[in-house]
Structure formats: C-alpha cells, structure tokens
Amino acid sequence: MKKLVLALLVLVLCSAAVFAGGKKETGDLLENVKAKGKLTVAMEGTWAPWTYHDESGALVGFDTEVAAAIAAKLGVSAEYAEGEWDGLFAGLDAKRYDLIVNGVEYTEERALKYDFTEPYGYIHTALIVREDNDTIRTFADLAGTTTTNSIGSTYMELAESYGAKVLGVDSLEQTLQMVISGRADATLNADVSYYDYLAVHPEAPLKVVALTEDASKVVIPVRKGAENAAFKAAVDSAIRELRADGTLSAISVKYFGSDITK
C-alpha cells in the first residue's frame, strides 16, 4: 500500500513539473514562453538610463521598456529578474532567464557561446578620467594603469587588452566615484550612459578623453540550440516591427535624448 501511495505521489509531482498553467512544457522555448504567458528578462537594474530604479523605486529605463515592447509583440508580459552583470549570463545558461536585455554588446567571443538577435542599438565606448588627469589621453595610455568596470563586461575586457589592471564593481555610479576619489585612474563605459550621468551630476570632475571609432552593436543574447531557434526568430521579428513603427526610436529619445537605434 505504501509503495502504491509513493508511486501516485511521484506521478503527481512529475505531472506538475511537466505542465505549466495547464499547458504542457515542451523543448521549444517560444512555445514555453507563450504557454507561461510571460517572458523572463534578466537585467542589472543599476545602469541608468538603460535599466534602473526611479525615485519611486519603479524599475524603468530604455532596456526595461524595450523588453516590455518585445514581450507585447510575443503576446506575453515581461517579468524582470535583476542581478549583477557577471551573473546574468550564468542565469541564462541555467535557463532561469529567457534572454538578457541589458545593453549587451556583440563580441566574437560571446558569439561562440550565444546566438544574438538583430542589433537594436549602436553605441561608442568612452574612456573617462578625472578632470585633472593629463596622462591618459588615448586607449593606448591605459597600459600600467588601474581602471574599474563590471566584472566580465566588454569594457573590462577592452581595458585589459590595453594592459590595464581592472577593479571589478557592480554599477556605473561606483565606477565613476572610484575615478573621482582617485582609487582608479579611469573607467570605460557607454558614452550615452556617461552623458546621462553628467546631466544629473554636472559638477562631477570628469571628462571623456577618447571614444572608440566604430560603434558597437547592442544585441540580445539567447541560448544556442534548435529549441531556441523559433524564439530568436520571433524576437528578431519583434525588433524589426518596433523599429519600423517608430517605437524603438521613441523609447531611445525618451531616455537618451537621441536615437541610438539606427
């Protein structure tokens, strides 16, 4: 009798795992997202104006609204999961998130592990130093210096490629404060993010001494695999529609004061 009860319990638990909201979970990500009725989006929540909390505590930002618009095109709602930069990709790998919408820049190294959507933004990397720093004028001058950036970010990798020692932190605010205080010689970040910070803190003793010549492509990483192909195609289609109807441009102007989507 005990064995029968145990077998029934196992069957019930397995059934609960297989079904989500009364619909069967499959290997296809797009089908699963639609069955759940939600798109689980990973982002930092500390990187203005991409994704951050306003004075009321609400999660807002360019990427926050882009993710919501993409979810709407898929016929579902967006559910946000916030975390530190270096943990976002680990969560995507573990299937805790469906995608990452967090100003991710395309790199060939990342493309070996992830598939990427069409670009939905284009940015330049700015080299930022204290206002009184006259020794760092180009990216090549970073050799032997100390910079600060989010661990695992493209900015950290770029600084290291020029011979800098990088101190890892969690947010743009922290990187800039470390440069102002002299704990770091420089930081690298999206030019639009820096200008947004400067608009709020015009007294900050900082300056941009160099910009990358070519614009970086801002993309959305998704897991590789046939089970994710239809999902990626649907997100690509959503991005194209949002670009065509002017939604991407409008969101960009709202948060950046200019259109970074073209």
Side-chain angles (χ1 to χ4, degrees):
M1 183 66 179
K2 289 183 178 180
K3 290 183 178 180
L4 178 60
V5 172
L6 180 60
L8 290 173
L9 179 60
V10 170
L11 180 61
V12 170
L13 291 175
C14 288
S15 297
V18 169
F19 288 86
K23 296 185 179 181
K24 186 178 180 179
E25 286 277 342
T26 70
D28 185 88
L29 180 56
L30 180 60
E31 290 183 7
N32 292 340
V33 166
K34 290 188 174 183
K36 291 184 298 183
K38 66 181 180 181
L39 181 68
T40 305
V41 184
M43 54 180 53
E44 288 178 284
T46 57
W47 188 28
W50 299 82
T51 161
Y52 64 103
H53 290 266
D54 64 15
E55 295 179 355
S56 71
L59 182 64
V60 296
F62 174 70
D63 275 333
T64 307
E65 290 199 22
V66 168
I70 290 173
K73 289 291 184 182
L74 299 183
V76 299
S77 60
E79 179 179 84
Y80 305 108
E82 298 175 58
E84 295 180 2
W85 169 262
D86 56 337
L88 300 184
F89 286 91
L92 182 65
D93 295 341
K95 299 184 178 182
R96 293 196 300 273
Y97 316 133
D98 299 318
L99 42 65
I100 301 171
V101 186
N102 196 84
V104 178
E105 295 178 45
Y106 173 89
T107 67
E108 292 184 359
E109 183 179 2
R110 286 176 181 159
L112 295 175
K113 186 172 183 180
Y114 303 97
D115 282 335
F116 292 104
T117 63
E118 294 185 4
Y120 68 99
Y122 300 88
I123 58 175
H124 292 269
T125 297
L127 173 55
I128 306 159
V129 300
R130 271 180 58 100
E131 204 169 52
D132 58 2
N133 187 324
D134 294 322
T135 60
I136 300 176
R137 300 178 181 179
T138 69
F139 288 99
D141 293 333
L142 289 175
T145 66
T146 299
T147 66
T148 177
N149 276 107
S150 298
I151 298 173
S153 65
T154 52
Y155 308 120
M156 179 179 187
E157 294 168 1
L158 182 59
E160 289 178 333
S161 74
Y162 281 104
K165 174 187 176 183
V166 182
L167 302 177
V169 295
D170 299 329
S171 69
L172 172 65
E173 178 86 20
Q174 287 177 296
T175 67
L176 296 175
Q177 286 302 317
M178 287 185 72
V179 173
I180 292 172
S181 68
R183 286 179 289 169
D185 300 309
T187 184
L188 284 67
N189 216 291
D191 56 346
V192 290
S193 298
Y194 169 71
Y195 295 134
D196 177 76
Y197 175 87
L198 208 59
V200 180
H201 306 279
E203 75 292 345
L206 298 165
K207 64 181 178 181
V208 171
V209 292
L211 290 170
T212 50
E213 184 175 348
D214 297 324
S216 298
K217 298 175 181 178
V218 181
V219 293
I220 298 174
V222 298
R223 292 184 294 275
K224 286 184 178 291
E227 68 275 14
N228 303 308
F231 174 74
K232 177 186 175 302
V235 175
D236 276 335
S237 178
I239 291 173
R240 287 193 295 270
E241 290 178 19
L242 293 169
R243 177 175 287 109
D245 66 18
T247 299
L248 284 183
S249 294
I251 298 174
S252 178
V253 171
K254 175 180 178 180
Y255 286 101
F256 295 112
S258 61
D259 189 359
I260 71 163
T261 68
K262 296 179 180 179

